[in-house]
Amino acid sequence: MAKDQYWLKSGLINIIQNFSGTLINLATFYLLVRLLSKHEFGVWGLYLQAVTIQEIVRNGLIQSALIKFISGAKQEEHSKIVSASVTISGTITVFCVLLNLIFAGYLAEKLKAPELEPMFRLYNITFLLSGVLTQLNCIEQANLSYKGVFASNLVRSTILLLFIAVNFTFKFTTDLISLVYVQMICAVASIGVAWYFVRGYLNFSYVFNLEWIKKIFNFGKFSFATNISSILSGTIDQWMLAGIISPAASGAFNIAVRITNLVDIPTNAIATIVFPQSAKRIETEGRDAVKYLYEKSVGALLAIVMPALIFLYLFNSIIIELLAGDKYNDSVPILNITLLYCIFGCFGRQSGVILDSIGKTRTTFFIVLFNTCLILVLNYFFIREFGVLGAAYATLICNIVGFIIAQAILYRELKVNALNSFAYAIKFYPEFINKYLLKK
């Protein structure tokens, strides 16, 4: 009973967190895109992408490892584990801050956005604060508690939304650097909230232990590298648009990507569920069970995503104007292309999950790395040839190539057949109706 309560409670908290986070981010986007000019919004998008990469560089290496090792280790080992995590996180933080200080001006110049230089330099303070927040959140999750993670994230995003809403409502003028200062305040408030929930678990002293540092590093290095390559492949197009054309062009592309990402929410949610199931089934039921799990989960995703895609195609211009305003009408043809990403995303995200669960993290890394390099090359030539649409075409081609490579590997490893997923997608609706709607 206790175990069931844990899964129900943690699952409910995660669902509420994802749903509330999506609503807050959507509201923030809705107001901000009207508060800022096209150039400013493009610069803000570039800034967020850059700082997100920094966060992933640091957190991707230690987050999963810290949660895994603390939850499975004896109490007397906790101080060594947390200390090792702090050591790695601190080292990476200092390294990233130095890079930021050295290259902020150069990057701002190349992206044709001089506003970025002071924003990057100021963010170093927020980056230090967010490192503390990550450690607190990981310690709480390792102790099978999620309230603090939910509350701290909610506070962090809500404060920024309230600041933007006040400026929008009372027609105050704001600038990008003010938003960075607000981010800093958000980080401080989040640390206070996270500490309140995790304070009972903070009974450790710093112990330098090289063995645990190596364990954490070795555990996270391939998933870390995959995450870095993945985030780069998702931002290269917008960065190159800014560098080759202008930040405003990057902003127009960003609008289409944001709307496309809303369709991807079920993909991320199902991937979170499939990973532990796949890892368990490969041990207990063998590879045939994993093959079925992959094909069935992709089929469910296709069944959920396709109606949303059809709706967005039918009302694309209305949705763009509703969410972003009439000054972003040039995002409509971009959206028509980026929506196609979602179909291949159903297969792609689940492919990575399955390959990781059967111990092929290295394979996943090389697939993502190849795609990142391909996106870089194609964007360079396509943007120069076709403008903003060239970035969309380049990323679509990379999605198709990545799909073909992943399916070939999955067929070799598990005899997966992509056509079966479409069959499961067709069967999804009658199964859902009979099982949930007509169930007596």
Side-chain angles (χ1 to χ4, degrees):
M1 179 65 72
K3 185 176 181 181
D4 290 340
Q5 288 178 348
Y6 158 72
W7 282 109
L8 181 62
K9 192 174 181 180
S10 60
L12 184 61
I13 290 173
N14 277 296
I15 289 171
I16 294 173
Q17 180 176 335
N18 289 333
F19 184 70
S20 61
T22 300
L23 286 179
I24 291 172
N25 290 337
L26 188 61
T28 302
F29 160 71
Y30 178 87
L31 297 175
L32 198 59
V33 79
R34 287 164 171 78
L35 196 62
L36 302 177
S37 68
K38 290 186 76 170
H39 173 81
E40 288 174 325
F41 184 77
V43 172
W44 181 249
L46 295 170
Y47 162 78
L48 287 181
Q49 290 163 9
V51 300
T52 299
I53 290 172
Q54 290 185 66
E55 295 284 352
I56 290 176
V57 165
R58 180 180 60 198
N59 301 345
L61 190 58
I62 58 102
Q63 192 165 1
S64 297
L66 181 60
I67 294 171
K68 171 183 170 61
F69 289 130
I70 285 185
S71 60
K74 296 178 181 178
Q75 183 67 38
E76 54 266 28
E77 294 289 311
H78 285 193
S79 289
K80 297 177 183 177
I81 298 169
V82 175
S83 299
S85 173
V86 169
T87 302
I88 295 172
S89 177
T91 303
I92 295 174
T93 298
V94 171
F95 180 71
C96 287
V97 167
L98 289 175
L99 286 179
N100 205 342
L101 291 172
I102 294 169
F103 293 106
Y106 174 80
L107 192 59
E109 181 184 348
K110 289 299 179 183
L111 294 175
K112 300 178 182 177
E115 304 94 330
L116 282 173
E117 183 173 358
M119 293 170 70
F120 283 152
R121 295 190 188 283
L122 184 60
Y123 183 77
N124 285 328
I125 300 173
T126 305
F127 189 58
L128 293 170
L129 294 170
S130 66
V132 177
L133 178 63
T134 298
Q135 291 291 323
L136 294 174
N137 285 342
C138 287
I139 291 171
E140 186 193 14
Q141 290 178 75
N143 286 277
L144 305 181
S145 177
Y146 299 89
K147 292 180 181 178
V149 178
F150 169 60
S152 61
N153 286 332
L154 184 63
V155 166
R156 192 174 187 180
S157 55
T158 300
I159 292 175
L160 180 61
L161 172 60
L162 289 175
F163 174 80
I164 294 170
V166 169
N167 279 274
F168 179 80
T169 303
F170 296 101
K171 302 187 184 304
F172 296 149
T173 57
T174 188
D175 55 16
L176 295 174
I177 203 72
S178 297
L179 295 175
V180 182
Y181 275 112
V182 175
Q183 280 189 320
M184 197 186 304
I185 296 171
C186 294
V188 173
S190 297
I191 289 173
V193 173
W195 175 84
Y196 175 80
F197 283 95
V198 83
R199 66 191 188 283
Y201 305 120
L202 298 178
N203 52 352
F204 69 92
S205 56
Y206 183 84
V207 180
F208 181 84
N209 188 286
L210 188 59
E211 181 182 353
W212 272 111
I213 291 174
K214 289 180 178 178
K215 279 185 180 180
I216 291 175
F217 179 81
N218 288 328
F219 178 85
K221 62 185 179 183
F222 277 116
S223 58
F224 157 77
T226 301
N227 287 338
I228 294 298
S229 298
S230 180
I231 191 69
L232 284 174
S233 68
T235 56
I236 283 173
D237 40 22
Q238 295 177 57
W239 284 43
M240 293 186 73
L241 279 170
I244 297 174
I245 303 178
S246 70
S250 176
F253 190 88
N254 183 266
I255 298 292
V257 171
R258 281 176 177 267
I259 295 173
T260 302
N261 287 343
L262 292 176
V263 184
D264 273 337
I265 290 174
T267 305
N268 298 329
I270 291 182
T272 303
I273 298 169
V274 166
F275 180 77
Q277 284 288 332
S278 178
K280 180 180 178 181
R281 289 194 182 191
I282 193 68
E283 297 294 335
T284 59
E285 301 176 44
R287 300 202 164 202
D288 286 342
V290 177
K291 171 184 180 295
Y292 170 77
L293 180 65
Y294 173 79
E295 293 173 348
K296 189 71 181 284
S297 62
V298 172
L301 278 173
L302 289 170
I304 295 169
V305 165
M306 289 304 294
L309 291 182
I310 294 171
F311 177 82
L312 287 171
Y313 271 115
L314 291 175
F315 302 102
N316 48 20
S317 58
I318 296 174
I319 291 168
I320 290 284
E321 186 168 349
L322 181 66
L323 292 178
D326 54 10
K327 64 181 177 181
Y328 285 99
N329 288 332
D330 53 345
S331 295
V332 174
I334 305 170
L335 178 63
N336 290 337
I337 301 171
T338 59
L339 285 174
L340 295 174
Y341 300 174
C342 298
I343 298 174
F344 298 101
C346 293
F347 289 93
R349 180 69 189 274
Q350 298 302 102
S351 297
V353 168
I354 294 297
L355 289 172
D356 285 350
S357 69
I358 63 174
K360 298 290 182 179
T361 53
R362 193 175 214 168
T363 302
T364 306
F365 165 65
F366 283 117
I367 292 174
V368 175
L369 181 62
F370 172 78
N371 259 3
T372 303
C373 295
L374 185 60
I375 285 177
L376 182 65
V377 174
L378 289 182
N379 267 285
Y380 179 80
F381 291 104
F382 278 43
I383 291 173
R384 290 180 176 276
E385 182 68 26
F386 304 108
V388 181
L389 283 178
Y393 288 131
T395 305
L396 178 60
I397 291 172
C398 290
N399 272 272
I400 295 171
V401 172
F403 165 78
I404 294 170
I405 293 172
Q407 292 305 307
I409 294 171
L410 285 173
Y411 179 79
R412 185 190 67 194
E413 297 290 336
L414 302 169
K415 301 302 179 187
V416 161
N417 186 342
L419 294 177
N420 291 342
S421 295
F422 288 100
Y424 285 125
I426 295 171
K427 295 176 183 177
F428 175 85
Y429 300 107
E431 286 180 0
F432 182 84
I433 292 171
N434 291 329
K435 190 172 183 179
Y436 296 103
L437 301 183
L438 300 181
K439 185 178 180 181
K440 297 180 179 180

